[in-house]
Amino acid sequence: MNKVKFLSLVLVTLTGSLFAQDKVVPTPQWRPAYHFTPPTNWTNDPNGLIFLNGEFNLYYQHNPFENKWGHMSWGHATSKDLVTWKHFPVAIPEIVTKDTTTWIYSGSVVLDKNNTSGFGKNGKPPLVAIFTADQPKQKKESQFIAYSNNGGLSYKQYAQNPVIDLNMHDFRDPNVFWYPPTKQWIMTVAMVDDHIVRFYGSKNLKEWTKLSDFGPAGFTKNGWECPSLLPLVVDGNPANIKWVLFVSSGGEHGPLMQYFVGDFDGTIFKNVNDNHKVLTVDYGDAFYAAIAWRDAPQNKKILLGWLQNGRQETNPWKGQMSIPHDLSLKNTSDGLVLYQLPSAFVTQSLPKYAKGNVIEKKNTSINGSGPVLHGEGNAYWIDVEFDIKNAKRVGFNVAEKAGTDKKVTVGYDAEKQQLFVDCTGSEKVNKSPENLIQTTPMKAVSGLVKIKLLLDRSSLEVFGNDGERVISTMIYPDKDATGLSVFSEGEAVIRGLKIWNLSPKVLSTIK
Ligand code: FRU
């Protein structure tokens, strides 16, 4: 468990016992309209992402009983468009026996097409879940498998579990994929405190052989969790593939998630950069434990992260997923860089969900504060291109509260050459001082800056310059803090602006 999660657990427990008499206050104003949340109770990491029969399956770390971390089990939902989710009963519950409690920690799911595991039934291939069994009493983490013969609705534990047991305390989050050249399954799994990703290979998902270790490398001040290795296309050329190794690394004084770019030969991952180089996935304080759908249509690799919400309670659920990110690599003057954009599957659904509730502007000059545009409901999606001319800073005020200074500012600082999210105007209670202003270096391209701003009640995700940079964070505006305006310090031109309002459906639930 990372520090943020631990602290939130402590806070939840403390506030829980202090105010045990108080009624739980529902917070529909912070329930996202177009991001995944469980209907009730806690979620953290996404697990077992798999695309099957036209549907994206999402399993997720879930406490089925309480709105706080604990009783870890796998919740389950599916979606056809990555916007609307159908919820299913818990797919893998915690296992409680007289002498052991086994929590179902993070992991992955594969479709065992050739029935290498022998778990198939009536000629149908099984789904196999590979995950960490955390046994708090034994202070042990080992790797388990379980299989499903009903399309992923429920799983049976393998009788010979664990399949990998090093008698370790912190050894977790296996992510598995099929590697055709050597005809075997590959697993990446974290040796948390050693800052090592260990690679294993298997012919049948039951017997695993160690292949190699990667690390320590990059950012090593916190434990490593949730590693995963993905092949990504470079510069849109399918013949040019590099492998990206994602690692979640805690976030205290460093990136929450980092990545390494390299080559993989079926045994060893070789970093193309110096091992000291730190590459950041997301420059905000929320995006964590992300893994990908590797088998989505059009060969897309789609990354989904948990957006941590630290200190603020939400009810009757806590925790949400990010917008899914389509991934690619680009060759730049800084070397190979990960590009992330909101998934095209989501983008293509925007008109449907906005139901004509769209604002468009072209070639409009601004100097100072621009018109109040929209914002009712705080669930919208902005695509903008600014020509920054001689402006010092340009962007949007979101979640503005009329008659007060309360607001969150998102934009581009041309002097500092940074994309930024400034929460000093409203989030002092929710964020530690060092997270009130979140920034990332970014250059304008021939004077132009592109921003995608996704506000969904309490999540705020900002994508800069066609996915070169991302800042994801959580905000908790007052119910009536729904103002939205564009601003420019100095003269700038809005080359193109489109805002989709995505809130009407859910608005009615706010009283
Ligand atoms: C990451 C993590 C994983 C672990 C899971 C437990 O947030 O700590 O390492 O499997 O959460 O809920």
Side-chain angles (χ1 to χ4, degrees):
M1 185 168 28
N2 68 348
K3 279 197 187 132
V4 179
K5 203 150 70 198
F6 176 73
L7 279 177
S8 73
L9 200 64
V10 171
L11 272 164
V12 171
T13 319
L14 278 178
T15 30
S17 48
L18 280 175
F19 302 107
Q21 317 292 26
D22 288 2
K23 223 170 89 224
V24 168
V25 183
T27 57
Q29 74 276 22
W30 295 327
R31 168 87 83 172
Y34 59 98
H35 287 69
F36 174 83
T37 50
T40 55
N41 293 332
W42 169 274
T43 186
N44 53 289
D45 313 356
N47 296 149
L49 303 184
I50 184 161
F51 184 81
L52 280 176
N53 309 320
E55 287 182 336
F56 293 92
N57 279 262
L58 160 67
Y59 298 93
Y60 54 94
Q61 285 287 280
H62 185 45
N63 181 344
F65 309 112
E66 298 156 300
N67 198 13
K68 62 181 187 188
W69 189 83
H71 296 285
M72 296 325 292
S73 304
W74 278 23
H76 184 207
T78 63
S79 174
K80 288 193 164 61
D81 62 4
L82 292 173
V83 178
T84 303
W85 294 89
K86 197 167 159 194
H87 300 280
F88 292 95
V90 165
I92 315 185
E94 63 174 339
I95 311 164
V96 183
T97 65
K98 207 162 71 290
D99 18 64
T100 316
T101 298
T102 303
W103 281 344
I104 315 301
Y105 270 22
S106 289
S108 46
V109 166
V110 295
L111 175 66
D112 184 10
K113 279 190 195 128
N114 301 321
N115 196 22
T116 61
S117 61
F119 294 137
K121 211 171 147 187
N122 304 329
K124 282 210 181 136
L127 288 172
V128 180
I130 308 98
F131 54 89
T132 298
D134 181 273
Q135 294 170 317
K137 271 192 206 151
Q138 284 76 2
K139 295 199 167 64
K140 193 168 96 162
E141 291 180 345
S142 58
Q143 314 319 320
F144 273 32
I145 58 175
Y147 56 97
S148 173
N149 299 118
N150 61 6
L153 292 175
S154 61
Y155 287 78
K156 288 194 194 75
Q157 295 289 341
Y158 173 48
Q160 321 293 323
N161 276 332
V163 292
I164 307 178
D165 184 2
L166 304 181
N167 249 307
M168 280 180 78
H169 187 211
D170 288 289
F171 172 47
R172 58 180 178 264
D173 309 333
N175 194 273
V176 174
F177 61 96
W178 179 250
Y179 186 71
T182 55
K183 294 199 179 58
Q184 66 172 344
W185 300 101
I186 303 290
M187 176 196 293
T188 52
V189 57
M191 322 264 296
V192 177
D193 300 320
D194 305 318
H195 311 109
I196 281 176
V197 177
R198 179 155 286 183
F199 288 75
Y200 285 92
S202 174
K203 294 283 180 199
N204 58 11
L205 295 162
K206 295 170 175 166
E207 283 123 5
W208 293 90
T209 314
K210 179 185 161 186
L211 299 174
S212 63
D213 281 339
F214 174 78
F219 180 70
T220 55
K221 295 217 168 78
N222 306 309
W224 281 16
E225 304 181 309
C226 304
S228 69
L229 181 68
L230 276 183
L232 293 183
V233 165
V234 181
D235 295 331
N237 173 7
N240 190 0
I241 299 287
K242 286 282 175 194
W243 291 78
V244 174
L245 181 61
F246 292 90
V247 175
S248 292
S249 45
E252 293 271 303
H253 314 297
L256 269 172
M257 277 192 71
Q258 58 181 328
Y259 67 96
F260 303 92
V261 185
D263 296 300
F264 181 64
D265 62 2
T267 306
I268 291 170
F269 172 79
K270 209 164 157 270
N271 192 355
V272 293
N273 294 307
D274 183 287
N275 266 354
H276 291 104
K277 185 164 182 172
V278 178
L279 296 167
T280 302
V281 174
D282 184 304
Y283 288 79
D285 63 349
F287 188 84
Y288 197 66
I291 55 169
W293 279 282
R294 325 170 151 267
D295 49 6
Q298 300 149 30
N299 199 25
K300 285 197 188 305
K301 309 292 173 213
I302 307 177
L303 192 73
L304 186 76
W306 163 44
L307 296 183
Q308 313 184 111
N309 56 344
R311 302 179 184 180
Q312 182 58 55
E313 287 315 306
T314 55
N315 283 301
W317 85 100
K318 185 161 179 181
Q320 73 164 83
M321 296 304 158
S322 69
I323 208 76
H325 302 184
D326 283 355
L327 301 178
S328 62
L329 282 170
K330 272 197 188 154
N331 238 318
T332 72
S333 52
D334 293 333
L336 285 163
V337 173
L338 179 72
Y339 271 64
Q340 308 172 74
L341 279 172
S343 177
F345 288 99
V346 179
T347 320
Q348 74 200 18
S349 307
L350 286 179
K352 174 178 144 198
Y353 288 103
K355 294 191 192 121
N357 218 335
V358 180
I359 287 181
E360 243 186 305
K361 280 189 191 298
K362 281 209 169 86
N363 299 323
T364 310
S365 289
I366 37 166
N367 196 343
S369 46
V372 172
L373 291 166
H374 218 298
E376 248 180 288
N378 274 354
Y380 47 81
W381 178 307
I382 302 177
D383 270 9
V384 68
E385 186 172 31
F386 289 113
D387 186 340
I388 47 178
K389 301 276 178 192
N390 58 21
K392 280 194 205 138
R393 298 197 323 157
V394 59
F396 297 89
N397 294 314
V398 306
E400 281 182 298
K401 186 162 170 164
T404 75
D405 290 340
K406 278 200 170 177
K407 63 182 177 199
V408 171
T409 307
V410 177
Y412 185 68
D413 187 321
E415 278 184 347
K416 295 187 181 152
Q417 302 198 319
Q418 284 178 343
L419 185 69
F420 70 88
V421 174
D422 182 346
C423 299
T424 43
S426 85
E427 298 300 314
K428 290 218 171 80
V429 183
N430 298 322
K431 292 192 187 295
S432 48
E434 71 270 19
N435 286 335
L436 282 170
I437 299 179
Q438 300 173 30
T439 64
T440 170
M442 192 176 94
K443 289 202 164 63
V445 182
S446 316
L448 301 178
V449 167
K450 285 191 197 167
I451 296 176
K452 287 182 191 293
L453 186 164
L454 280 55
L455 179 65
D456 196 0
R457 300 297 178 75
S458 53
S459 66
L460 176 60
E461 294 159 289
V462 185
F463 294 78
N465 279 357
D466 294 317
E468 181 196 336
R469 294 286 195 253
V470 193
I471 300 177
S472 305
T473 192
M474 299 296 295
I475 60 172
Y476 299 94
D478 295 346
K479 275 186 192 162
D480 51 352
T482 57
L484 166 66
S485 59
V486 64
F487 75 89
S488 170
E489 291 165 14
E491 192 213 336
V493 174
I494 299 174
R495 289 275 289 251
L497 167 71
K498 215 161 169 181
I499 307 178
W500 291 264
N501 187 12
L502 299 166
S503 68
K505 197 174 69 182
V506 204
L507 246 187
S508 60
T509 63
I510 300 184
K511 292 276 169 323

